[in-house]
Amino acid sequence: MPDRRTVDGLVSDLGRALGLDELALDDEGRLRIKLDGTEVLMAFDAEDDALWLASDIGRIPASLRDDMLPRLLAANLAAPARGPTFAIDTDTGAVVAMSELLEARLDYGDLEAALLGHVGEAERWSAAVAGGADPAAPAERLRGIGAGGVIWG
């Protein structure tokens, strides 16, 4: 499981890749970044030594709730270990995509792959939640992270 020092180093590496040398977690272990238009909250949970990625992917229109909620639950059941899994924020009604990184030897490649996977899935499901796409359609491939943000492949 990653410790805070490891995560701080990985965030610093991410900042350098993005051309943001001052990128860092705050005192509470949180950071918000926007990659390809998707806002990602990175949050380090010191109790569990886990790094969480979370993104608000929108609100389900009332006309789509009966169709979309079972799809989100089915996606949770089929989600890989890292996620994303989905929840609904009861205060705002937002659907939140969440990914958890628990790897003991988390390195920059793992973080980049997790971020790219999370952003790709968040974008795919955001379109589905809004009613404009089939969530079963494959996500567009994200190739990497660079000074301009996400690099598409």
Side-chain angles (χ1 to χ4, degrees):
M1 297 182 185
D3 60 20
R4 174 65 190 255
R5 200 169 109 199
T6 299
V7 172
D8 284 338
L10 295 174
V11 168
S12 181
D13 292 345
L14 175 64
R16 279 191 291 282
L18 291 168
L20 303 170
D21 292 336
E22 301 300 317
L23 195 67
L25 298 175
D26 66 16
D27 291 340
E28 295 177 358
R30 296 183 182 144
L31 162 71
R32 288 188 185 276
I33 59 173
K34 191 174 260 190
L35 297 171
D36 194 47
T38 298
E39 188 172 295
V40 178
L41 168 66
M42 297 176 68
F44 178 69
D45 180 347
E47 281 186 35
D48 293 331
D49 286 334
L51 180 63
W52 286 91
L53 308 176
S55 296
D56 175 334
I57 61 171
R59 283 119 191 99
I60 303 170
S63 62
L64 297 176
R65 278 198 186 105
D66 288 346
D67 179 53
M68 189 52 59
L69 289 175
R71 287 178 181 219
L72 289 166
L73 288 173
N76 282 348
L77 183 62
R82 282 186 174 171
T85 55
F86 303 95
I88 295 181
D89 181 328
T90 56
D91 291 333
T92 66
V95 177
V96 180
M98 299 180 301
S99 302
E100 182 181 29
L101 287 76
L102 291 167
E103 290 80 355
R105 296 181 186 166
L106 187 67
D107 63 21
Y108 179 75
D110 295 327
L111 177 61
E112 182 178 277
L115 274 168
L116 292 173
H118 179 86
V119 168
E121 289 298 302
E123 290 180 356
R124 180 169 72 104
W125 280 94
S126 179
V129 163
D134 177 3
E140 194 169 352
R141 186 164 132 50
L142 305 170
R143 203 178 78 209
I145 293 177
V150 174
I151 301 167
W152 293 85

